[in-house]
Amino acid sequence: MQPQPNSSPSAQVPLWRQLQGAASILLAVRDGQSMTPALDDVDAQLRPGVQALAFHALRWLGRAEALRQQLAKRPPPPEADALLCVALALACGDEAAPYTAHTLVDQAVEAAKRSDATLHQASFINGCLRRFLREQGALMALTEKSPLAVWNHPQWWIDRVRKDHPTQWQDILRANNSRAPLILRINERKTTPAQYVQALLAMDIGAFPIGDHGVVLTEARPVMSLPGFTEGHFSVQDAAAQLAAPLLLDGLMAVAGEGQPRLRILDACAAPGGKTAHLLELADCDVTALDIDAKRCERIAQNLTRLGLQAHIVVGDASRPGNWWDGRPYDGILLDAPCTASGIVRRHPDVRWLRRPTDIAQLAAIQTRLLATLWPLLKPGGRLVYCTCSVFRAEGEQQAQAFAASHPDAVLMPSPGHLLPQGSVKGAVFPDNLMREHDGFYYAVLQKRSA
Ligand SMILES: C[S@@+](CC[C@H](N)C(=O)[O-])C[C@H]1O[C@@H](n2cnc3c(N)ncnc32)[C@H](O)[C@@H]1O
């Protein structure tokens, strides 16, 4: 799921309750759980505010932990430590906060007093936060030596991005800590980006087009409040992800002429169906949407129904085609492979804290196996688009190059390659950047030789 973009902490809900909620999210992430399901467990009324605070806390967690270490050499029990780190993250970095630093401290202490798990740590938290307010400049300076504090990413992640992108690593890490805007993909079967921008402007909602099918909102909104949601006029999808369907179809539409059978396309890791839907919005083709996760396959069905589209949805393991393939080769295959998600840290700030260094090699091995298994299912002359939402070269460039080198019938076509995360508001513009506003992604187009 694409998370809903940040919204301001709700004015109706007291700040101390939102702080408690954000601390519970941090506890869950520290326990290895991803933020999206943890947020689903939060009371609906609290959720927007808790999400905004938790997003901020996770973007500043490295700094907050370094500050906590300066304030107390031994961490307090986990619940109190989570609350203290959330408050420190907010105190040292939220310029847009609608409360003063002193209110934040009072409310953090109130949050501690109102829970049995933190009650006995309330005065410790009070002492730490008040000392932080008194000595902020000196404490921040002390943490400047720590890359974890400066970049708010684990050391191994910083080292890896630096190795993979020696001249761009700082801009990538900076972009990861920025807020991503809400980007929509317009359903071209129902309306156009230009018409949709007009509809938004008529409602005083700032928006501008991006790429061929996208619209960026200048301020985040709940998607259900936007015009045409129920009618399927748009989906939420980052601009980089919107490149997948056109990349696959551009090469195939040339061969799909009048009187030819409809294109047969396999979307091999399809759930929740973002790219499946885009394929169907752009072309009259038969798409098999395959995913190993039955629950996530239900989301494909729901999304396609809302958009007025149809695919053949199959629950199955892409690395075992014997269990689901009918033996007829495909004209095109989209392999949006499982990956570390290191390119979408702007939208999922928990990812960097959840991953382990060994995950890269483990996921790369799965990607290698999926590529090798699916290739024989492609017709001669057909195309396979391989993509991951990762900036790590092991999951992108190295994967595609190794595949092309070991498959003489594969031609690596001119492809976007590594797109690096990029915000249009601040930061550098990478030369490979197609649209100035997108997540990190990797794309390779592989064509199968005809004979
Ligand atoms: C990056 S997500 C796909 C996003 C999707 N393409 C979209 O645009 O909405 C990767 C998906 O791969 C699925 N997956 C992982 N291993 C798989 C396998 N062996 N076979 C099929 N699907 C798999 C996961 O369940 C997950 O839904």
Side-chain angles (χ1 to χ4, degrees):
M1 184 186 88
Q2 290 257 29
Q4 292 302 300
N6 307 325
S7 49
S8 301
S10 161
Q12 288 91 45
V13 181
L15 182 57
W16 66 263
R17 287 193 70 195
Q18 297 174 42
L19 289 166
Q20 282 184 334
S24 74
I25 301 292
L26 176 53
L27 261 184
V29 170
R30 282 178 165 171
D31 213 26
Q33 201 189 335
S34 78
M35 185 170 54
T36 307
L39 272 169
D40 288 342
D41 292 341
V42 173
D43 184 81
Q45 198 205 357
L46 284 178
R47 202 174 298 138
V50 167
Q51 174 166 331
L53 297 188
F55 262 62
H56 183 92
L58 290 163
R59 288 187 180 123
W60 283 83
L61 186 59
R63 178 73 76 173
E65 287 180 346
L67 286 168
R68 198 263 295 123
Q69 227 187 339
Q70 292 297 329
L71 292 162
K73 293 295 167 217
R74 263 206 3 231
E79 289 84 359
D81 190 53
L83 180 58
L84 178 57
C85 284
V86 166
L88 284 169
L90 291 162
C92 67
D94 199 354
E95 318 87 34
Y99 44 75
T100 65
H102 282 97
T103 304
L104 172 67
V105 173
D106 290 346
Q107 291 290 293
V109 175
E110 189 66 23
K113 285 183 184 161
R114 296 232 188 193
S115 160
D116 288 347
T118 48
L119 175 63
H120 297 299
Q121 305 297 323
S123 63
F124 167 79
I125 290 174
N126 186 34
C128 287
L129 292 175
R130 291 199 190 278
R131 189 179 146 209
F132 174 72
L133 293 190
R134 280 195 313 273
E135 300 172 26
Q136 184 162 359
L139 287 165
M140 290 289 271
L142 280 173
T143 58
E144 270 305 302
K145 292 187 203 92
S146 151
L148 174 79
V150 172
W151 295 109
N152 289 291
H153 285 69
Q155 184 67 53
W156 71 266
W157 188 298
I158 299 169
D159 294 343
R160 188 68 181 229
V161 176
R162 191 172 185 165
K163 177 167 165 275
D164 282 3
H165 304 279
T167 58
Q168 293 153 323
W169 66 277
Q170 291 170 310
D171 289 322
I172 295 171
L173 297 175
R174 217 172 278 127
N176 284 352
N177 285 328
S178 67
R179 296 176 179 206
L182 177 59
I183 303 185
L184 311 178
R185 186 194 72 241
I186 303 307
N187 181 354
E188 301 266 352
R189 293 205 182 255
K190 306 245 178 181
T191 182
T192 65
Q195 282 169 351
Y196 197 74
V197 167
Q198 283 312 314
L200 291 174
L201 294 179
M203 295 175 68
D204 267 342
I205 301 175
F208 57 90
I210 190 166
D212 289 339
H213 312 287
V215 169
V216 184
L217 267 70
T218 52
E219 258 177 56
R221 301 259 173 163
V223 283
M224 286 195 320
S225 71
L226 296 174
F229 174 76
T230 316
E231 297 80 10
H233 287 195
F234 66 86
S235 303
V236 174
Q237 191 178 49
D238 182 74
Q242 293 186 28
L243 294 179
L247 270 176
L248 184 63
L249 290 171
D250 280 354
L252 297 178
M253 297 303 263
V255 290
E258 194 119 325
Q260 299 289 325
R262 279 157 68 94
L263 286 174
R264 271 171 53 80
I265 294 180
L266 172 67
D267 186 354
C269 292
K275 299 180 188 71
T276 307
H278 200 191
L279 287 163
L280 292 162
E281 285 164 13
L282 297 181
D284 294 322
C285 52
D286 293 330
V287 178
T288 297
L290 178 82
D291 202 280
I292 200 165
D293 186 327
K295 265 252 141 324
R296 284 171 65 82
C297 279
E298 287 172 19
R299 304 238 341 260
I300 306 180
Q302 288 157 7
N303 285 330
L304 294 185
T305 303
R306 183 179 64 83
L307 296 164
L309 304 166
Q310 274 191 323
H312 179 45
I313 300 170
V314 180
V315 180
D317 182 344
S319 68
R320 295 176 186 275
N323 294 341
W324 49 265
W325 187 41
D326 63 7
R328 290 190 296 144
Y330 296 100
D331 300 292
I333 297 179
L334 176 60
L335 174 54
D336 184 13
C339 70
T340 55
S342 63
I344 54 172
V345 178
R346 297 190 307 167
R347 297 182 192 278
H348 298 270
D350 52 335
V351 158
R352 70 193 102 173
W353 308 115
L354 291 168
R355 295 283 172 268
R356 298 289 166 260
T358 47
D359 291 348
I360 303 177
Q362 275 169 15
L363 284 156
I366 293 172
Q367 293 150 8
T368 306
R369 193 169 69 240
L370 288 172
L371 263 171
T373 311
L374 294 174
W375 188 247
L377 279 57
L378 188 66
K379 265 186 195 161
R383 279 186 164 207
L384 184 149
V385 167
Y386 168 77
C387 58
T388 56
C389 54
S390 177
V391 296
F392 298 140
R393 292 198 188 274
E395 301 184 279
E397 190 181 79
Q398 289 164 10
Q399 196 66 253
Q401 281 174 356
F403 180 82
S406 60
H407 290 75
D409 58 346
V411 181
L412 183 52
M413 306 292 285
S415 306
H418 278 284
L419 301 174
L420 302 177
Q422 171 74 64
S424 55
V425 187
K426 287 182 194 157
V429 176
F430 299 121
D432 72 348
N433 197 286
L434 303 182
M435 293 160 296
R436 296 179 55 110
E437 177 55 77
H438 57 70
D439 289 341
F441 240 83
Y442 175 79
Y443 281 107
V445 181
L446 294 154
Q447 178 135 0
K448 196 176 234 186
R449 290 183 204 281
S450 293

